[in-house]
Amino acid sequence: MNYFKTILIAVVYISISISVIHAQVHNKSWESITEKEEGPWFASKEAIAIAENVLLYQRDIGGWPKNIQMQKPLSEKENQELLAAKKSTKGCTTDNRATYQEMIFLSKMYRQVSDERYKNAFLKGLDYILEAQYDSGGWPQFYPLKKGYYTYITYNDDSMYNILRVLEEIKNKTDYFSIQPSEETVERVKVAFEKGIDCILKTQYKQNGVLTSWCAQHDENTLLPAKARAYELPSLSGKESAKIVLLLMSIENPSEEIITAVNSAVAWFEKVKITGLREDRFYNEKGKIIDKKMIPDPDAKPIWARFMELDDNTPFFCDRDGIKKATLAEIGAERRNGYAWYTNEPKEVLKKYPKWKKKYGIKPVETKTLKKKLKNEFNIVVTKDGSGDYTSIQEAINNTKSFPYQRVTIFVKNGIYYEKIKIPEWNTNISLIGESKENTIITYNDYFGKMNLGRNSTFYTYTLLVEANDFYATNLTIQNTSGEVGQAVALSVFSDRVVVENCNILGNQDTLYTSGDGNRHYFKNCYIEGTTDFIFGKATVLFENCTIHSKKNSYITAASTPKGAKYGFVFKNCKLTANEDVTKVYLGRPWRIYAKTVFINCEMGNHIKSDGWHNWSKPEAEKTAFYAEYKCFGEGFKPKERVSWSHQLKNRKAKKYTIENILGSKTVDIDYKWYANFK
């Protein structure tokens, strides 16, 4: 009797336990279920039922969609829909812990229940991760690639960190996962992990030559900080950087590069931590956050801003309009309350750092930079790795002689230089020479709305600004990467006697600004691209043997030539190209009514509109502007269909368009052929 009573009590107890567990699991998030401690529950009927959902949601490619509560029961209709979607790759991602969580769950299941389907699904997920990796070592947010910011290397919400933790456990052959891949796959994992770490080291941001932290997203090609959603601007991240550093600290016998990266990041965390401030949250009766306020509190524990300026670490906050604000209180309630703007995650880094440092006998990185004594002040070398005279182009310019009698050559070795560069009026006679135009890249991402300096904000958006006379540049890519967000200048030239040769000048609207009364500029063998008015200004400019590429149906030039100037923009032997979907491009329109623009011996693609020129709704400009062509060719050259107020030059007049006439000096103290003196 006692025996049966014992059994009955046990059965009742188990039933009650299962019921309680079911209630607990049903009310929990999928993330919390995957984080449950391994044990008998993963052999329960409830767990097995959830596992069926996990298998069903996995696509044939191996990945899973995000934000799915896998524990929720499925209807027969939902089952059929998921089976039909198996071959689809839409939505497969590693964002928001997707794929990572499902693999964790399947591993815990397989340790309790030897169902080969769990193992196969886990390994398929691993193959998906390996397949999705870029050659640069990073991972996109979605794979197959989804257009937009989703292609960027994604540290946001610890996406890449989670991937690398999976790979680390597998390559180290720990027992963290119950499923062990083949030796061949383990070797692939080792390679992928090393590439991932290398990517992390290469994307650590240098601020004035000093390593700091990481952005939430980095461009998959340039590796530079990149913009995601409107309120997620390029910035240094106090949140995502923490897990990256913890990952680097987990690597046994770290290399010198890893040690330097960790030391530098820790120094940065210490530098930018916020003290004396706490975040208070206010909830409604349903437990939803309805407000957040930052309250001064001398006893508050350190916190870090999620977004900080790339050049000076200043915290900032954004609403969906993408405009930076100085405080959390300045943005609307929806974004203020629905996003994590502060974090305390770096505290774990600072807690573990002393033990890590002691383990490897590591000395903190020396953050002070010693001024180098130049070997030759007229031949300066800039390198990213510190082997030259400077690591920053701006730093090199700042330390050159003012108004030198001798030409100063600044040689810039291959690398991506995320800098907003200004060559002041007193730094004359500078030659900025890149190692190669493909791999020596000067880039920045300011734009009109971001500058927010009033109606003239365009002129502050430059990546490179030249105010000094007698400037020469070659073998460089100069770009503004802000995208199609309005006016955003890559290169601004406000000086006289400037030569730019064999360079890429990249942007969208207002890519190249060439200005100044009487200033003369010479662009030779360059590639210049943009969308609207991407070559504009009032300087006299000769473009020779250049490729002029339109990325959008719009206008190539917007000259503002001063009244009385003999020449404005002159294009000789150039090639006009466009994106495949571009079919309606004007050669130019007058920013000011005396605009002058001439195309000579240029090949024009079929994207050029037959009427050629536009008056910008300024009828008076049809009498004052001078727009002309001479012996051009290609599908876009249709002289008989051009607007009546444009010109086709006669031979006699075309002969006047020589380099000597266009650019030649009229003063006795300057060489007449100044444009040939810089090499």
Side-chain angles (χ1 to χ4, degrees):
M1 185 69 178
N2 290 339
Y3 171 78
F4 287 106
K5 184 178 179 181
T6 302
I7 293 295
L8 180 61
I9 291 170
V11 168
V12 171
Y13 175 78
I14 291 169
S15 300
I16 292 170
S17 298
I18 290 174
S19 176
V20 170
I21 289 172
H22 178 80
Q24 289 174 340
V25 169
H26 182 74
N27 292 326
K28 286 188 175 181
S29 68
W30 172 234
E31 180 180 346
S32 66
I33 293 171
T34 63
E35 290 178 346
K36 282 176 64 69
E37 187 177 347
E38 292 202 42
W41 180 84
F42 286 93
S44 69
K45 288 183 178 180
E46 184 179 24
I48 291 171
I50 294 172
E52 291 300 319
N53 288 356
V54 172
L55 295 175
L56 199 54
Y57 272 105
Q58 187 181 31
R59 303 289 197 258
D60 288 346
I61 196 175
W64 280 267
K66 67 177 179 178
N67 301 332
I68 305 295
Q69 296 302 310
M70 298 284 176
Q71 75 279 17
K72 296 294 177 69
L74 296 170
S75 67
E76 182 58 32
K77 181 182 177 182
E78 288 171 324
N79 273 276
Q80 293 305 316
E81 288 173 348
L82 286 170
L83 282 170
K86 277 285 186 181
K87 292 182 179 179
S88 170
T89 60
K90 186 178 179 180
C92 291
T93 182
T94 55
D95 188 35
N96 287 9
R97 299 167 65 92
T99 300
Y100 163 78
Q101 288 182 135
E102 286 72 39
M103 290 175 67
I104 295 281
F105 180 80
L106 289 171
S107 170
K108 292 178 179 179
M109 289 295 302
Y110 190 71
R111 205 182 300 274
Q112 303 297 323
V113 181
S114 298
D115 189 327
E116 289 299 300
R117 295 180 304 155
Y118 303 158
K119 178 180 179 180
N120 293 337
F122 177 94
L123 294 175
K124 189 184 286 188
L126 179 58
D127 283 337
Y128 169 79
I129 287 173
L130 295 174
E131 180 67 26
Q133 188 178 29
Y134 285 126
D135 289 340
S136 63
W139 275 268
Q141 191 176 125
F142 283 81
Y143 184 81
L145 298 179
K146 180 180 176 181
K147 288 184 179 180
Y149 66 83
Y150 309 103
T151 65
Y152 292 147
I153 293 169
T154 305
Y155 296 130
N156 193 31
D157 292 328
D158 304 322
S159 176
M160 190 160 148
Y161 164 81
N162 290 331
I163 290 170
L164 287 170
R165 286 311 304 263
V166 169
L167 300 187
E168 186 177 38
E169 297 292 348
I170 291 172
K171 88 174 182 68
N172 291 340
K173 297 183 178 179
T174 68
D175 63 354
Y176 183 82
F177 293 116
S178 64
I179 300 162
Q180 298 298 323
S182 66
E183 282 300 318
E184 181 183 356
T185 300
V186 171
E187 289 304 311
R188 288 176 62 203
V189 167
K190 287 179 180 177
V191 171
F193 182 81
E194 293 305 322
K195 283 173 65 178
I197 296 301
D198 185 57
C199 178
I200 285 174
L201 297 177
K202 287 178 179 176
T203 49
Q204 188 173 18
Y205 186 73
K206 266 191 177 180
Q207 187 182 86
N208 300 318
V210 178
L211 287 170
T212 56
S213 60
W214 291 264
C215 182
Q217 299 84 211
H218 287 254
D219 186 278
E220 68 272 24
N221 297 311
T222 67
L223 303 185
L224 290 171
K227 174 187 173 183
R229 289 172 288 190
Y231 50 89
E232 294 172 328
L233 302 178
S235 58
L236 297 177
S237 171
K239 179 184 185 300
E240 279 74 16
S241 298
K243 287 287 179 61
I244 292 172
V245 178
L246 289 172
L247 175 68
L248 294 177
M249 290 170 63
S250 73
I251 296 172
E252 292 294 326
N253 302 312
S255 65
E256 287 297 321
E257 290 81 6
I258 291 174
I259 291 171
T260 299
V262 172
N263 280 335
S264 301
V266 168
W268 182 81
F269 282 136
E270 289 284 9
K271 180 179 179 180
V272 302
K273 69 183 178 184
I274 300 167
T275 56
L277 193 67
R278 77 170 192 269
E279 180 186 281
D280 280 1
R281 298 183 176 186
F282 301 86
Y283 301 85
N284 63 15
E285 63 279 1
K286 295 181 180 180
K288 183 180 179 181
I289 297 173
I290 56 173
D291 201 7
K292 290 179 184 177
K293 291 183 180 179
M294 303 309 297
I295 309 297
D297 179 357
D299 298 323
K301 294 181 179 180
I303 55 175
W304 287 261
R306 187 165 187 171
F307 298 103
M308 288 173 252
E309 293 282 11
L310 293 165
D311 53 358
D312 62 6
N313 307 311
T314 302
F316 67 84
F317 311 85
C318 278
D319 223 318
R320 292 189 184 273
D321 57 8
I323 298 173
K324 294 180 181 178
K325 302 295 183 183
T327 65
L328 187 60
E330 293 177 68
I331 64 174
E334 186 267 335
R335 278 299 80 198
R336 182 172 69 249
N337 304 326
Y339 198 74
W341 295 100
Y342 289 97
T343 183
N344 64 358
E345 288 188 33
K347 71 177 183 180
E348 192 66 19
V349 174
L350 300 183
K351 178 182 176 182
K352 293 184 176 182
Y353 177 67
K355 187 176 180 180
W356 176 83
K357 188 171 62 171
K358 183 178 180 181
K359 179 178 179 180
Y360 295 108
I362 294 167
K363 294 181 179 180
V365 68
E366 179 57 60
T367 56
K368 293 182 179 179
T369 55
L370 299 176
K371 187 175 179 180
K372 292 185 179 181
K373 187 175 181 181
L374 296 174
K375 295 177 182 177
N376 186 336
E377 61 185 349
F378 295 103
N379 286 282
I380 298 169
V381 178
V382 178
T383 61
K384 294 292 291 181
D385 62 9
S387 61
D389 299 306
Y390 299 101
T391 58
S392 156
I393 298 171
Q394 187 66 65
E395 188 181 10
I397 292 165
N398 292 346
N399 285 284
T400 58
K401 277 178 170 288
S402 57
F403 304 108
Y405 293 109
Q406 186 177 335
R407 178 156 289 277
V408 177
T409 297
I410 300 175
F411 179 68
V412 185
K413 297 203 73 174
N414 286 340
I416 298 168
Y417 297 84
Y418 187 79
E419 300 185 52
K420 189 178 180 73
I421 297 170
K422 179 179 178 179
I423 302 177
E425 178 258 348
W426 51 85
N427 287 127
T428 55
N429 286 312
I430 281 182
S431 289
L432 195 62
I433 300 175
E435 186 174 358
S436 70
K437 73 175 179 180
E438 295 80 13
N439 299 308
T440 309
I441 300 169
I442 303 171
T443 184
Y444 211 73
N445 53 17
D446 277 345
Y447 58 92
F448 188 99
K450 177 180 175 183
M451 302 311 295
N452 198 26
L453 294 170
R455 64 190 302 169
N456 296 312
S457 293
T458 301
F459 309 109
Y460 297 92
T461 63
Y462 61 83
T463 295
L464 172 60
L465 169 63
V466 181
E467 294 180 335
N469 291 344
D470 301 302
F471 172 76
Y472 175 70
T474 188
N475 300 339
L476 297 167
T477 288
I478 304 162
Q479 64 184 16
N480 187 313
T481 58
S482 58
E484 291 192 49
V485 290
Q487 300 95 321
V489 178
L491 174 60
S492 285
V493 185
F494 282 77
S495 52
D496 193 23
R497 300 184 300 276
V498 170
V499 174
V500 179
E501 182 176 9
N502 194 41
C503 288
N504 296 323
I505 305 167
L506 313 179
N508 287 283
Q509 184 174 346
D510 294 356
T511 303
L512 173 61
Y513 182 37
T514 63
S515 195
D517 289 329
N519 286 345
R520 294 149 301 167
H521 308 151
Y522 181 30
F523 289 80
K524 183 178 181 182
N525 300 326
C526 290
Y527 173 88
I528 306 167
E529 71 170 26
T531 56
T532 300
D533 304 334
F534 61 94
I535 299 173
F536 71 114
K538 62 180 177 178
T540 295
V541 189
L542 174 59
F543 298 90
E544 190 169 31
N545 299 321
C546 293
T547 297
I548 311 299
H549 187 79
S550 295
K551 298 165 66 177
K552 188 177 179 181
N553 289 331
S554 198
Y555 310 86
I556 295 174
T557 66
S560 56
T561 317
K563 184 178 180 180
K566 276 193 172 184
Y567 305 96
F569 292 163
V570 180
F571 295 82
K572 293 186 74 174
N573 306 316
C574 292
K575 185 173 183 178
L576 278 55
T577 62
N579 288 358
E580 287 185 7
D581 60 340
V582 175
T583 58
K584 297 177 182 179
V585 174
Y586 288 96
L587 295 170
R589 60 178 180 171
W591 185 16
R592 294 294 180 267
I593 63 171
Y594 295 100
K596 289 187 175 181
T597 303
V598 178
F599 288 85
I600 298 173
N601 296 323
C602 291
E603 179 181 352
M604 298 181 176
N606 62 7
H607 61 291
I608 300 300
K609 283 179 64 68
S610 58
D611 46 351
W613 307 91
H614 193 279
N615 68 9
W616 208 335
S617 300
K618 302 171 185 175
E620 68 274 24
E622 295 182 10
K623 297 178 181 179
T624 53
F626 185 79
Y627 287 150
E629 299 158 79
Y630 177 74
K631 286 191 176 180
C632 292
F633 56 98
E635 295 180 69
F637 180 56
K638 298 177 181 179
K640 293 182 180 180
E641 299 179 38
R642 294 296 192 242
V643 292
S644 60
W645 47 276
S646 68
H647 306 270
Q648 296 298 318
L649 296 180
K650 302 296 183 182
N651 290 341
R652 181 175 56 82
K653 194 160 187 178
K655 287 180 180 178
K656 293 183 179 180
Y657 284 82
T658 64
I659 188 171
E660 292 83 3
N661 287 342
I662 298 166
L663 300 178
S665 175
K666 302 304 178 187
T667 58
V668 294
D669 59 330
I670 299 293
D671 191 327
Y672 184 72
K673 296 185 178 181
W674 58 268
Y675 43 81
N677 292 340
F678 296 161
K679 295 182 180 179

